[in-house]
Amino acid sequence: MEWSILQQYGPGLLAGFGNTVLCWLLGTIFGMALGLVIALLQRYGSRWMGWIIQVYIEIIRGTPFLVQLFVLYYGGPLVGLRLDALPAGLLGLTIYGSPYFAEIFRSGFRAVSKGQIEAARAIGMTEASIVRRILLPLALVSSLPALVNFSIILTKETVILSIITVPELMYQVQRMSTETFRYLEANLVLALFFWALVEAISNVGRRLEAHVTKHLIERT
Amino acid sequence: MDAASSVEIRKVNKHYGTFHALKDVDLTIPPGKVTCLIGPSGSGKSTLLRCINFLEEYDSGEVRIDGTMIGYEASGKKMSGRKLREMRRSIGMVFQQFNLWPHMTAKENVAEGLLRVRGMSRAEADRRAAEALTKVGLADKMANHPSRLSGGQQQRVAIARAIAMEPRLMLFDEPTSALDPELVGEVLNVMKALAAEGMTMVVVTHEMGFAAHVADQVVFMEKGELVGVDTPDRILHHPQDARIQSFLRTYHERNSF
Amino acid sequence: MFSISVFLESFSPLFWAARYTLLISVLGIALGLVIGTLVCAARLSPYGWLRRFAMLWVSFLRGVPLLVQLLVFYYTLPVIGLDVPAMVAAVVTVGICASAYISEIWRGAIAALPKGQSEAAVAIGMTPRDIWSRIILPQAFSLSLPALVNELILLVKASSLVSVVGILEVTRASQAQAATTFRPLEVYIAAACIYLAINLCLSALGRYLEHRTAI
């Protein structure tokens, strides 16, 4: 094993890691936002809107992420969508994650007891207020473990972005290994970085969970 | 307090699919008085109660609060959401499962309606919330979340949440059924105080003692029908109808020792 | 603009390539089932070292992205001296990766069984071997069928990654097709349709099985 090559490629690898975290973070945030919008539309929208959304969900969940990226990045220009690799990757990640997040939020909505919504209606709160003050906060709390879980899955999906030349970690590692033929060091780096990232996210997730459920655990 | 509301229920019917839950119910809830709904489970007592603030939608007949029909326009069309919310602001409801919002403290639970629905300033809402909580004896628990309160305390917060909105009518749906026996008394005491102030109250309950001592009118229901409406003394101590007699006999067998 | 003719013409070569997609997915899950059962057994065994090995197996294979696993297998094996055809490498990698998830599916199904089931069997005096083979495993299998179908759907989608090691399944074939027609949009959408068709059938199968095995 030659550690000097890690020094040489260090900056590139670090930049790659930065891009991985960036894509993952933004992809998660935008994907969650889109997923939330979808879940709310399904709950409060009209029936035909529900069908359109269901079709969207089936398509995104039924096709491989890689193929979706190809459609966006290589197929996009043919309909006027000319994106660089990184933005295309971000868009792809957002779209890919949205139906899963939407499903998580739907479960979260179901977990909010009907009685609490009724109590708000009985006082005369508007539906918008009820969603904002009662439904969303409580749904988010019960969805938290599933949200953290899926965001961890998304970290693994970011490596697929390398195939459409997004310069994230895997792309940089591939470059390093093809130029130096040092596949072992290369993949070791990859494994270590992903393990660290996943551990960090799990840790933050656990602490977040403990914090928000602080007041909800029965402890008279 | 503003003038207490009265409720007129005329020929109300409610179906759940093929199940006829309320059959041609006629009932007057007089203002400033306490009406107790008693009867076996499945008799439609809660359904009727929930029709009063239209949490259940009745199929035919009329429910009028101070003369205005709730849930439907005169034309028969369903009432707009805005008008319904407007009417609900003067009606307070207390649920069997308390239904406090777990992510808010007691004070926040009580202030929420004042902030969102009555549009008060935060300072004003907080002041009134504190007042309401003091009234139910929980001045020292204002900063507690529901998870830190006993069942009886939670239900009292729920009552405070309802009365803070200054309703003219209070609906109670089996308010003590989910409580441990030793916690029932503190909730009933709050309800008695409320009654003494002249609030119109409709209470679905299995607490016959409360009905006997506090109610002005007791209503017995069975299988969706109104079987008897009378003073507590006549319904509970001298029932004429065999169904009421049988219900009370079972009750006494189970509760006396 | 969208060319319907290119779109429709793409299906023929892609159907052909779909054989490999199905082959890899089915062989992959078969291998995954075999290994996964062993791993699950190890996970539940009374031997501490076996349990720990199984836990590491599962956490490693679920923590490292499949793409990385594929490339490790494909590129590092020749370095060691093992020369395997791409297809074999792909199926083995996919199968091993699936085994980790399947082991967890088994574990979840076994844990979901009410404890009273085995307690009743013990009370009658059944041997542990019989309790496992007659009571626990059959029921765990039915319980896990929907999750297994779901896993198959995931494998069908994951099979698109083996395109990077040159196997001519649907994704790779569509790349080739896009290169010759210069119409990537129509070709890739056609590829997406094929995957969608496969997965919709599998979903329907999953729903049917869930219905039939509802306890």
Side-chain angles (χ1 to χ4, degrees):
Chain A
M1 270 197 253
E2 280 264 351
W3 295 108
S4 61
I5 58 160
L6 285 176
Q7 271 182 309
Q8 185 191 348
Y9 286 89
L13 291 175
L14 222 53
F17 182 64
N19 275 332
T20 291
V21 173
L22 181 76
C23 287
W24 167 75
L25 205 57
L26 290 181
T28 302
I29 293 173
F30 293 147
M32 266 202 245
L34 184 55
L36 185 57
V37 168
I38 292 175
L40 285 172
L41 283 174
Q42 271 181 315
R43 187 180 167 92
Y44 292 105
S46 60
R47 265 180 62 188
W48 63 262
M49 168 146 289
W51 283 337
I52 291 181
I53 288 178
Q54 198 56 36
V55 168
Y56 170 83
I57 291 180
E58 291 295 325
I59 291 178
I60 305 297
R61 297 212 328 189
T63 54
F65 182 40
L66 185 57
V67 175
Q68 293 172 18
L69 284 175
F70 281 172
V71 169
L72 271 173
Y73 187 58
Y74 295 118
L78 270 79
V79 284
L81 186 71
R82 260 164 246 282
L83 291 171
D84 283 342
L86 191 70
L90 258 176
L91 182 62
L93 208 53
T94 301
I95 292 177
Y96 175 70
S98 61
Y100 299 93
F101 282 125
E103 192 51 39
I104 292 174
F105 285 127
R106 276 183 74 185
S107 294
F109 290 161
R110 279 195 292 266
V112 178
S113 86
K114 196 168 162 234
Q116 274 147 14
I117 311 277
E118 276 191 348
R121 289 214 183 107
I123 294 190
M125 274 172 91
T126 61
E127 281 303 312
S129 272
I130 296 178
V131 168
R132 231 173 6 106
R133 302 283 301 165
I134 314 290
L135 185 69
L136 274 183
L138 292 176
L140 272 166
V141 169
S142 60
S143 314
L144 201 53
L147 289 173
V148 171
N149 253 353
F150 187 70
S151 74
I152 291 178
I153 292 178
L154 278 184
T155 66
K156 294 190 288 165
E157 300 292 332
T158 60
V159 296
I160 299 181
L161 297 176
S162 64
I163 301 181
I164 59 164
T165 72
V166 174
E168 42 72 73
L169 186 59
M170 173 112 186
Y171 183 83
Q172 302 288 17
V173 168
Q174 285 294 93
R175 197 167 64 92
M176 179 176 97
S177 59
T178 51
E179 283 174 17
T180 65
F181 298 99
R182 293 284 180 180
Y183 297 102
L184 201 53
E185 287 87 341
N187 292 299
L188 213 57
V189 165
L190 211 50
L192 279 173
F193 271 155
F194 270 100
W195 176 78
L197 186 60
V198 168
E199 264 307 299
I201 301 171
S202 300
N203 201 304
V204 171
R206 272 194 299 270
R207 291 199 297 161
L208 203 58
E209 232 174 293
H211 176 78
V212 295
T213 57
K214 193 167 50 178
H215 298 302
L216 300 176
I217 310 180
E218 298 281 324
R219 231 179 338 175
T220 46
Chain B
M1 191 177 58
D2 296 331
S5 289
S6 64
V7 183
E8 284 290 327
I9 301 170
R10 290 278 160 264
K11 290 205 143 347
V12 161
N13 282 280
K14 165 94 190 144
H15 292 83
Y16 289 108
T18 51
F19 175 62
H20 200 168
L22 293 175
K23 302 173 183 166
D24 276 341
V25 177
D26 282 312
L27 182 62
T28 303
I29 311 282
K33 304 278 185 227
V34 177
T35 303
C36 277
L37 301 181
I38 65 171
S41 30
S43 54
K45 330 187 278 296
S46 287
T47 310
L48 183 63
L49 186 81
R50 288 157 62 90
C51 285
I52 298 179
N53 68 349
F54 214 61
L55 277 183
E56 297 290 345
E57 300 178 4
Y58 52 96
D59 303 325
S60 68
E62 293 182 351
V63 175
R64 289 182 180 273
I65 302 180
D66 295 329
T68 314
M69 190 157 62
I70 186 169
Y72 300 100
E73 304 284 353
S75 59
K77 258 180 45 173
K78 261 218 204 128
M79 192 179 241
S80 75
R82 207 165 44 81
K83 284 203 195 141
L84 188 56
R85 282 196 294 273
E86 189 58 46
M87 289 193 81
R88 280 177 177 164
R89 279 162 205 186
S90 315
I91 309 175
M93 182 146 193
V94 176
F95 300 84
Q96 183 177 354
Q97 299 297 334
F98 332 137
N99 290 338
L100 291 181
W101 301 309
H103 55 307
M104 300 182 192
T105 62
K107 180 134 86 99
E108 285 165 356
N109 260 277
V110 178
E112 187 66 14
L114 300 172
L115 284 169
R116 309 289 149 208
V117 178
R118 290 222 184 255
M120 286 181 193
S121 69
R122 174 136 281 260
E124 180 67 16
D126 278 352
R127 195 182 60 76
R128 296 223 192 183
E131 242 174 51
L133 283 167
T134 309
K135 202 163 171 211
V136 301
L138 288 171
D140 57 333
K141 300 275 184 208
M142 286 198 267
N144 283 29
H145 284 82
S147 59
R148 299 289 195 86
L149 299 170
S150 74
Q153 290 167 335
Q154 288 185 53
Q155 193 62 300
R156 285 191 276 152
V157 174
I159 295 177
R161 181 173 63 179
I163 63 180
M165 297 287 287
E166 293 180 331
R168 296 197 298 267
L169 165 67
M170 283 283 285
L171 307 175
F172 294 83
D173 192 355
E174 298 202 37
T176 57
S177 297
L179 295 175
D180 290 334
E182 65 270 16
L183 300 173
V184 168
E186 65 194 59
V187 174
L188 292 182
N189 286 338
V190 170
M191 289 167 68
K192 284 182 198 162
L194 214 52
E197 285 175 19
M199 171 72 75
T200 310
M201 290 166 58
V202 186
V203 185
V204 172
T205 186
H206 294 295
E207 293 289 325
M208 297 306 164
F210 180 82
H213 295 122
V214 183
D216 298 294
Q217 167 178 258
V218 174
V219 177
F220 183 86
M221 286 182 74
E222 193 181 274
K223 298 208 178 96
E225 291 178 325
L226 230 58
V227 172
V229 183
D230 219 327
T231 65
D233 185 59
R234 290 209 205 105
I235 294 265
L236 297 173
H237 297 310
H238 309 288
Q240 299 299 310
D241 194 296
R243 288 171 284 186
I244 307 181
Q245 290 166 357
S246 146
F247 173 76
L248 289 172
R249 192 169 38 238
T250 321
Y251 178 85
H252 286 305
E253 273 167 22
R254 270 208 317 253
N255 288 284
S256 53
F257 56 89
Chain C
M1 277 294 86
F2 193 81
S3 157
I4 303 278
S5 57
V6 175
F7 174 67
L8 291 173
E9 279 159 14
S10 311
F11 276 99
S12 178
L14 293 183
F15 270 139
W16 208 225
R19 297 177 307 152
Y20 288 107
T21 293
L22 289 170
L23 192 65
I24 294 170
S25 312
V26 170
L27 287 179
I29 203 161
L31 187 61
L33 278 168
V34 171
I35 301 180
T37 310
L38 293 171
V39 173
C40 184
R43 192 79 171 65
L44 299 172
S45 88
Y47 299 111
W49 60 271
L50 207 52
R51 274 203 311 273
R52 277 188 291 274
F53 172 72
M55 282 196 275
L56 270 169
W57 177 274
V58 169
S59 79
F60 180 75
L61 289 169
R62 296 205 309 178
V64 177
L66 178 61
L67 185 59
V68 177
Q69 294 178 30
L70 274 168
L71 290 173
V72 167
F73 227 76
Y74 188 68
Y75 285 120
T76 26
L77 282 192
V79 175
I80 307 179
L82 277 163
D83 205 8
V84 289
M87 193 56 156
V88 174
V91 170
V92 170
T93 313
V94 168
I96 288 181
C97 184
S99 72
Y101 292 91
I102 292 177
S103 158
E104 286 304 287
I105 291 176
W106 279 153
R107 215 166 62 86
I110 291 175
L113 285 176
K115 207 163 163 240
Q117 296 271 324
S118 40
E119 279 176 353
V122 167
I124 299 183
M126 277 174 105
T127 65
R129 223 187 90 169
D130 271 349
I131 297 179
W132 271 95
S133 58
R134 308 274 299 161
I135 310 282
I136 297 182
L137 284 180
Q139 289 191 61
F141 184 69
S142 321
L143 265 178
S144 52
L145 271 175
L148 288 176
V149 172
N150 201 42
E151 183 63 26
L152 186 54
I153 291 176
L154 290 176
L155 281 188
V156 167
K157 292 195 286 179
S159 70
S160 68
L161 294 178
V162 307
S163 57
V164 306
V165 297
I167 296 175
L168 214 61
E169 41 69 63
V170 173
T171 305
R172 191 93 176 106
S174 62
Q175 281 175 296
Q177 184 79 351
T180 57
T181 62
F182 294 102
R183 305 287 309 177
L185 185 66
E186 289 84 344
V187 171
Y188 289 133
I189 290 183
C193 289
I194 293 191
Y195 281 107
L196 193 58
I198 298 176
N199 283 330
L200 285 177
C201 293
L202 287 175
S203 292
L205 175 68
R207 274 193 302 273
Y208 169 70
L209 286 171
E210 216 170 321
H211 215 246
R212 256 195 57 176
T213 62
I215 301 176

